[in-house]
Amino acid sequence: MFTRKLTVNVDNRNKSALLFGGEWFDTGGWNLRRTERIGENEISVLEFENTSSFSGVSGYVYYHAADHSSTLVLAFSCPIMTSPCFTARAASTLPDCQALFERVPDVARPGAGLRRAEGCAWETQELEDEHLTMRCVVLPNDTLPLPDSEFSRRLLRAKWCRSTLNDAQIGCNTAGHERSTSASPTPNRSHHFVERSVVLEVDNRSEETFVLDGEWFESGKWTGKPKTSLKRGITRLQFQNEEVFYGVTGLVWFVGESCLDIYFSCVFSNPLTGSCTFNAWGGPPPAELLKELSVAPDCSSQKGQVQVPDARGVAWNIIDSGSTTLHIRVAILPDLAHMDPNAYPPEELKAELRRAEEEQEECMTSPSGNNASAADPATATAASAHSAASGFAAADAAASGPADSASASASGAASSSSAAPAGPSSGSARRGSAGSEPAPPDGGGSSPDSPGADANALATNDGIDFSAHFGSILDASRPKHALDGLGSGLKVIGAGLVAGTGALVAMPAMGARQEGISGFFQGMATGVALSVGLVGAGAVAGCTQVVRGVLNTPAAVKNVSEGKRWDSELGKWINDFCDLRSEALRMSTEDEDSGSDAEPRREGAEGRKVVDTTYYDLVGVSPNASPSDIKKAYYKAALRVHPDKNPDDPEASQRFQQLAQAYQVLSDPKLREKYDIHGKDSVSESALPSIDPALFFSMLFGAEQFEKYIGKLYLGMQIDHMAKDVQKDLEKRSREDADSNVAKDIIGDTLEKEMSFLTKNKKGRRLKRQQLRREITCATNLCKRLDRWVLGRDEAGFMMATSQEASELVRVSFGGRLLRTIGGVYEQAARAFFSSCKGNFSVESQVNSWTESARSVSVRMSAGWSMVQSAMAVKKMHDVAGAQQEEEAEAETEGGGDGQDPSSQERNAAKAAQEQEKKEKVAREAMASLEGSLPVFLQTIWDVSAIDIESTLSAVCDKVLKDVSVPWQIRHRRARALLRLARIFRDVGQIEHTDLSQASTAKQHLEEALYGAIKERG
């Protein structure tokens, strides 16, 4: 085995200790244990090593002061084959650690002197094949002198790390503000066989100083250091190509330093072949700057003429558009207009958005326009049950006789061929479309006597019209291109094979059980006929899907090139953008009945006197607080007193239980009224405790802290709706029927009704609307979270606040997993945005799409495996319980006889004691089996919830990064801020403060979540 080890001796000469903040490893990891703290004025040892024989150790770690006022980042790479690399940064703001890792330079040989960068210096102490030892010194602030005079002299002779050459450019790209780069040399211009360059002489005639706010290059780069400001007067901006076969194509924009809502934007292109293009704007930015790059006017037609576009705030003159250099002089005119947020989106986009809203509303309200979504497990279960019922009906008919068998086979084949293609389809609650394609026409009908009439009769049960749904089924199953059609066809063919094999095996067994040998052979004949029919129907349907995919491929290429995306639920191509501001406004004005659980303020509560305020004081609200205020205050108080937040306080658990008890009373209107009138004694005895599902999942997964990012979990919303329906039916029937079995009957009836609702799409539409509200709310919250970077241009404050927030979030229940999940989805979305800038058919876009698909498959496979483990755990508990029942039955059988003599009584007493001991032993084994399975159940709950979280976060990121209510530059800055937020969340989330694989820890978490979610019913 190849071994690679890295030891870093950190000499912290700063005035504050550094605490571990986050980490990311490409390969390898910590050696034995993580170093949690780097003390003040002491040397701490950090050790890393590889974990695989074929890879070294590489990644980065960072530390921060207790108040996040200073940070230390160590980036390194010790591969198996090539040279080791190392660099470090110590600053007041956390840098882009991933970008720092990507440009980490080789280490110097031992004795070659110090290397330095911002706030730190380092040197190589030992360099061997398997072990690298570095010394890193965290320098004190400028006001603190170095006590070591020898080290001070060495520091003056230290060479700057090569990675600092790009610090200035990366700083400008991410922050939009100028950084000091006096200590960093300027790289020389490279030479090519074919050179292309763009020179812009910007004459700023306004009173505003502009700072570089962002840039994007399809090809080329800045010549030398970027110009980070445009002061009054002339500033020269230069760009050049960096590859032999590409010219210079890109765009840059600047923003007013004082007001931050006046822009100077320009697009330019000097390709190897073709004409040069240029365009510019002053004042408000264009809505789609990236698209303006592709439609910019030709410079050859503008040469020799001063261009002064109307209401643009700029003017320019083409000085030279020769074979190698495009030279333009641009004037920023005075009295520039400020950006008006209400001017976005443009009128042409508003019309398409209105059509999208109409189609989305129609999809939400129409009974036939809402297909079963793969994101809804209950809907998928109902559809599977319906399909299974069709198969069983056909099997029963086949067993009854040859004539009925043929009819049933035809019916089953018709049902399979029409319903099977819908299996691969999936969708999201966020769908809405504009300019979508028409649905394929229905192929015709069938006579009442035909086999298809049976399928139609079956499909129209419970008031569902098959003909009304046939078009939507075809839409939902329609593949978008040839590859999708091939995958869909293989799935359908596979489903037909599985169904046919099942029929071939099941029918002889059923016949033998009913009629013996003759029934076996009759069932064999029936099974063969049914199997051939099902396999044939699956093959026909699969081939149809492949053909449909091939036919749809040209339209797919056209729509993708136009920036549209495929909606797998609607089976249509839709425009890939949204108007988040309008959606949020529409959501705020909608009736809250379908999406909000907030209750109105109690009538007559103002000025009402209560006999006891203890529970109100515990929660932290006044006696006239509304239910929503009580719920919010409870969230905050639960976070403050939660045992996980106070591990060293032995009374934390008791205070948490007292708080939960107070909330149980105040959250129930009847108990609260009783408490207000009579005090605590009147509510001390509870009647029927119930669980608030939404609150349970919220308490289990981080309570209110993560709700602004992930909203209320979909699983919790489903269970909450079902629980409310059960409770309503139970109360109604209890008043009408005093039967003791009414609860059991109610639960069965309600579950049947819930399935009926799903079939008729009534509840599905309600949950979809609630899910849409969840996505819009989370997207709005995320935009507000990013605005400090995006609109305020306060990178330092944003990074510090994000680091502080992540350090707090990681300590709550499931904090590390949630941070990693959120960070992973955010990072994937940001990368998808940047890759899409180069086109949907670019290599980067395809790789990003494959990565996202692989991540989604991995999450679903993990959830599936967790469900299998949970089923195995349930079976184990069932076996233990069954063994206990058998032993009790045997004890009752053997324990007969009254035995009046003393010796018989003694034997019976001894035997009873043995039996009691056995019962207690079995009970302990059953409890141990249950407690041992709790980590498995908890992991399953998490894995299932992770699917919902990732799906919701993907929709949220789409709304944030495809929001046409802001210009493209703002969306670009959102993507950059989102990427930094994602990486901090991902890095900090590597820490796990609690080991949920331990049965005792899992039990404690479930108990606390259940106790906190209990609501007493009076």
Side-chain angles (χ1 to χ4, degrees):
M1 175 180 178
F2 293 101
T3 303
R4 291 294 182 270
K5 293 185 178 180
L6 169 65
T7 301
V8 183
N9 300 312
V10 181
D11 184 1
N12 182 15
R13 301 192 180 185
N14 209 336
K15 63 179 181 179
S16 60
L18 299 174
L19 307 177
F20 178 79
E23 66 188 26
W24 177 82
F25 291 102
D26 187 26
T27 57
W30 290 91
N31 182 16
L32 298 181
R33 63 183 182 86
R34 179 189 295 117
T35 301
E36 299 288 348
R37 185 177 184 275
I38 300 177
E40 176 186 358
N41 294 322
E42 67 180 34
I43 298 177
S44 301
V45 180
L46 283 62
E47 294 183 319
F48 312 93
E49 67 175 352
N50 61 330
T51 56
S52 172
S53 303
F54 305 101
S55 60
V57 53
S58 59
Y60 61 81
V61 297
Y62 66 84
Y63 292 77
H64 58 75
D67 59 354
H68 295 262
S69 60
S70 59
T71 62
L72 170 66
V73 181
L74 306 176
F76 47 84
S77 176
C78 297
I80 297 294
M81 303 298 295
T82 56
S83 302
C85 307
F86 182 87
T87 191
R89 297 290 186 277
S92 59
T93 303
L94 185 67
D96 189 342
C97 302
Q98 192 75 33
L100 184 64
F101 169 76
E102 292 172 356
R103 64 182 197 277
V104 57
D106 295 346
V107 299
R109 66 182 186 279
L114 292 171
R115 297 293 184 270
R116 69 170 301 181
E118 185 177 9
C120 59
W122 62 90
E123 62 181 340
T124 306
Q125 292 182 321
E126 295 182 10
L127 179 58
E128 301 176 355
D129 290 340
E130 296 183 351
H131 193 191
L132 171 65
T133 303
M134 303 293 298
R135 178 198 181 201
C136 179
V137 181
V138 182
L139 303 177
N141 297 332
D142 296 337
T143 58
L144 299 177
L146 283 169
D148 188 350
S149 58
E150 174 61 25
F151 182 80
S152 300
R153 288 192 293 270
R154 294 183 60 199
L155 187 62
L156 293 175
R157 299 193 301 270
K159 296 181 179 179
W160 284 87
C161 177
R162 290 197 302 273
S163 63
T164 60
L165 296 176
N166 297 326
D167 279 358
Q169 183 173 354
I170 291 178
C172 294
N173 292 347
T174 58
H177 293 285
E178 183 175 359
R179 279 192 180 182
S180 174
T181 58
S182 58
S184 302
T186 302
N188 295 325
R189 172 172 176 161
S190 57
H191 295 277
H192 308 287
F193 294 105
V194 181
E195 293 186 359
R196 290 292 184 271
S197 63
V198 175
V199 179
L200 303 180
E201 293 184 4
V202 182
D203 183 6
N204 183 9
R205 302 178 184 179
S206 68
E207 299 296 330
E208 186 69 38
T209 297
F210 293 87
V211 294
L212 182 61
D213 197 44
E215 63 189 39
W216 181 83
F217 291 100
E218 183 178 353
S219 60
K221 62 178 183 179
W222 287 87
T223 301
K225 293 184 295 185
K227 296 295 184 181
T228 57
S229 65
L230 300 176
K231 299 180 180 179
R232 186 173 177 85
I234 297 178
T235 304
R236 190 180 180 92
L237 311 179
Q238 293 182 267
F239 312 92
Q240 66 178 67
N241 63 328
E242 56 180 346
E243 298 182 21
V244 176
F245 301 105
Y246 295 94
V248 185
T249 301
L251 54 88
V252 295
W253 70 91
F254 296 75
V255 67
E257 188 175 29
S258 61
C259 60
L260 300 178
D261 61 353
I262 298 178
Y263 289 76
F264 168 67
S265 313
C266 62
V267 298
F268 48 83
S269 178
N270 187 3
L272 292 183
T273 59
S275 303
C276 302
T277 59
F278 177 80
N279 212 342
W281 297 261
E288 300 293 335
L289 185 63
L290 183 61
K291 291 184 179 179
E292 295 290 346
L293 177 62
S294 60
V295 296
D298 191 345
C299 291
S300 60
S301 61
Q302 306 177 27
K303 191 172 182 180
Q305 303 176 4
V306 177
Q307 305 295 320
V308 188
D310 294 337
R312 288 273 198 91
V314 292
W316 66 84
N317 183 26
I318 309 296
I319 298 176
D320 183 15
S321 59
S323 59
T324 60
T325 302
L326 172 62
H327 189 180
I328 305 174
R329 182 160 188 172
V330 187
I332 303 177
L333 304 179
D335 301 327
L336 296 175
H338 295 257
M339 183 180 73
D340 180 13
N342 296 321
Y344 306 93
E347 291 299 328
E348 57 270 18
L349 286 182
K350 287 182 179 179
E352 295 187 15
L353 286 167
R354 282 192 293 269
R355 289 196 299 270
E357 292 171 4
E358 292 173 358
E359 289 201 18
Q360 184 179 26
E361 190 66 26
E362 181 181 354
C363 179
M364 289 288 187
T365 57
S366 173
S368 62
N370 184 19
N371 300 307
S373 172
D376 186 352
T379 306
T381 304
S384 300
H386 183 89
S387 177
S390 303
F392 289 139
D396 292 339
S400 64
D404 294 336
S405 172
S407 176
S409 300
S411 176
S415 176
S416 173
S417 62
S418 63
S425 66
S426 62
S428 169
R430 66 183 183 271
R431 304 306 187 194
S433 61
S436 54
E437 301 175 9
D442 194 348
S446 58
S447 65
D449 297 330
S450 66
D454 295 335
N456 287 337
L458 181 63
T460 54
N461 287 339
D462 298 328
I464 301 176
D465 185 8
F466 178 80
S467 60
H469 286 270
F470 187 69
S472 62
I473 291 175
L474 289 178
D475 273 345
S477 64
R478 184 154 57 102
K480 57 182 176 181
H481 48 56
L483 187 60
D484 188 26
L486 178 61
S488 176
L490 292 176
K491 290 180 183 178
V492 175
I493 294 173
L497 288 173
V498 171
T501 304
L504 188 61
V505 174
M507 297 308 299
M510 293 175 59
R513 185 175 58 186
Q514 294 176 357
E515 301 180 10
I517 298 297
S518 61
F520 174 82
F521 288 105
Q522 184 179 2
M524 176 68 73
T526 304
V528 170
L530 186 59
S531 176
V532 171
L534 290 173
V535 172
V540 172
C543 294
T544 301
Q545 289 294 91
V546 174
V547 173
R548 294 173 75 194
V550 172
L551 295 177
N552 290 335
T553 299
V557 175
K558 176 178 178 293
N559 284 296
V560 170
S561 63
E562 294 176 353
K564 295 184 178 181
R565 64 176 172 84
W566 177 257
D567 190 311
S568 56
E569 181 182 355
L570 298 176
K572 300 174 182 178
W573 289 96
I574 62 175
N575 287 318
D576 199 11
F577 54 76
C578 72
D579 185 352
L580 182 57
R581 184 172 60 236
S582 297
E583 290 184 2
L585 180 62
R586 186 171 63 253
M587 181 193 69
S588 63
T589 56
E590 276 183 353
D591 189 5
E592 296 290 327
D593 290 342
S594 62
S596 175
D597 58 354
E599 301 177 24
R601 187 178 296 271
R602 292 186 302 163
E603 185 178 353
E606 293 292 344
R608 187 177 198 177
K609 293 183 179 181
V610 297
V611 299
D612 189 359
T613 62
T614 303
Y615 286 166
Y616 291 104
D617 296 337
L618 281 174
V619 178
V621 295
S622 61
N624 60 357
S626 66
S628 60
D629 293 336
I630 292 175
K631 190 172 185 178
K632 292 177 182 178
Y634 172 64
Y635 274 131
K636 296 178 181 179
L639 171 64
R640 187 172 59 254
V641 302
H642 198 280
D644 288 349
K645 294 285 289 183
N646 304 274
D648 300 328
D649 186 358
E651 298 180 358
S653 180
Q654 182 179 358
R655 288 202 302 270
F656 180 74
Q657 293 178 3
Q658 292 174 352
L659 176 65
Q661 183 179 3
Y663 178 71
Q664 291 165 18
V665 173
L666 300 182
S667 61
D668 188 280
K670 295 180 181 179
L671 289 179
R672 183 181 177 185
E673 183 176 2
K674 187 185 298 184
Y675 169 74
D676 290 346
I677 298 174
H678 303 291
K680 287 200 300 183
D681 294 339
S682 63
V683 294
S684 58
E685 295 296 332
S686 59
L688 177 64
S690 64
I691 304 297
D692 184 344
L695 186 58
F696 167 74
F697 284 102
S698 185
M699 295 294 296
L700 189 63
F701 297 126
E704 188 188 44
Q705 300 85 339
F706 281 101
E707 190 169 314
K708 60 185 175 183
Y709 290 106
I710 64 176
K712 294 181 180 179
L713 295 181
Y714 189 78
L715 185 59
M717 290 190 293
Q718 280 187 312
I719 299 176
D720 187 42
H721 280 295
M722 189 175 296
K724 289 179 179 178
D725 291 340
V726 170
Q727 184 67 27
K728 290 179 181 178
D729 291 343
L730 183 60
E731 293 176 355
K732 181 180 178 181
R733 290 280 293 274
S734 296
R735 291 191 297 266
E736 299 174 354
D737 190 354
D739 187 3
S740 59
N741 294 324
V742 66
K744 183 178 180 180
D745 296 337
I746 286 295
I747 293 176
D749 294 343
T750 304
L751 290 177
E752 183 179 356
K753 186 174 66 173
E754 291 292 324
M755 301 301 292
S756 176
F757 279 171
L758 289 171
T759 305
K760 295 179 181 179
N761 296 319
K762 183 176 181 180
K763 183 181 177 183
R765 291 196 301 273
R766 182 174 63 177
L767 289 174
K768 269 193 171 187
R769 188 172 294 278
Q770 193 166 353
Q771 174 68 10
L772 181 61
R773 293 176 59 85
R774 173 189 177 190
E775 294 169 0
I776 294 173
T777 301
C778 291
T780 304
N781 292 336
L782 182 57
C783 288
K784 294 178 180 178
R785 181 69 182 83
L786 302 177
D787 278 348
R788 188 169 185 177
W789 174 305
V790 176
L791 301 179
R793 273 77 179 182
D794 182 11
E795 176 190 0
F798 175 85
M799 298 298 293
M800 181 179 294
T802 301
S803 181
Q804 289 176 339
E805 182 184 23
S807 300
E808 295 175 359
L809 290 175
V810 76
R811 297 185 177 276
V812 304
S813 177
F814 281 84
R817 300 188 189 191
L818 280 166
L819 285 176
R820 292 196 300 271
T821 301
I822 295 173
V825 177
Y826 283 179
E827 183 175 16
Q828 190 72 28
R831 289 183 178 276
F833 176 87
F834 294 127
S835 61
S836 66
C837 292
K838 293 190 175 182
N840 293 319
F841 293 106
S842 65
V843 176
E844 293 181 14
S845 295
Q846 296 304 315
V847 170
N848 190 79
S849 177
W850 295 336
T851 303
E852 184 176 3
S853 299
R855 178 186 179 89
S856 177
V857 170
S858 175
V859 172
R860 281 161 173 76
M861 289 181 64
S862 177
W865 175 241
S866 295
M867 291 179 183
V868 172
Q869 289 182 312
S870 294
M872 295 171 63
V874 170
K875 183 181 182 302
K876 182 179 178 181
M877 291 189 298
H878 180 269
D879 293 342
V880 172
Q884 181 181 5
Q885 293 177 356
E886 290 178 2
E887 292 185 1
E888 290 178 354
E890 291 177 2
E892 291 178 358
T893 304
E894 297 175 358
D898 294 330
Q900 298 298 325
D901 60 288
S903 60
S904 177
Q905 292 179 358
E906 291 178 359
R907 287 195 301 270
N908 289 338
K911 190 173 183 180
Q914 292 178 355
E915 295 298 334
Q916 182 64 28
E917 184 179 353
K918 286 183 179 180
K919 290 181 180 180
E920 293 177 355
K921 181 181 178 181
V922 173
R924 287 194 300 270
E925 290 178 354
M927 182 58 65
S929 176
L930 173 61
E931 293 183 359
S933 302
L934 287 180
V936 177
F937 296 151
L938 197 58
Q939 180 67 35
T940 302
I941 294 174
W942 161 253
D943 287 335
V944 173
S945 300
I947 297 176
D948 168 48
I949 291 172
E950 292 206 356
S951 174
T952 299
L953 290 177
S954 297
V956 168
C957 292
D958 278 350
K959 291 186 178 299
V960 171
L961 300 180
K962 298 174 182 179
D963 176 22
V964 294
S965 65
V966 294
W968 180 86
Q969 289 99 310
I970 299 299
R971 302 201 295 272
H972 187 277
R973 289 190 60 82
R974 283 180 180 176
R976 295 201 64 88
L978 189 65
L979 185 61
R980 297 297 295 274
L981 177 70
R983 288 173 175 172
I984 292 178
F985 277 13
R986 179 198 64 186
D987 299 345
V988 177
Q990 305 301 322
I991 311 171
E992 290 288 354
H993 288 280
T994 54
D995 185 7
L996 295 175
S997 63
Q998 300 295 325
S1000 58
T1001 307
K1003 179 181 178 182
Q1004 180 184 357
H1005 273 73
L1006 285 171
E1007 286 179 347
E1008 291 172 353
L1010 285 170
Y1011 195 83
I1014 288 177
K1015 297 198 300 184
E1016 302 287 345
R1017 299 292 180 187

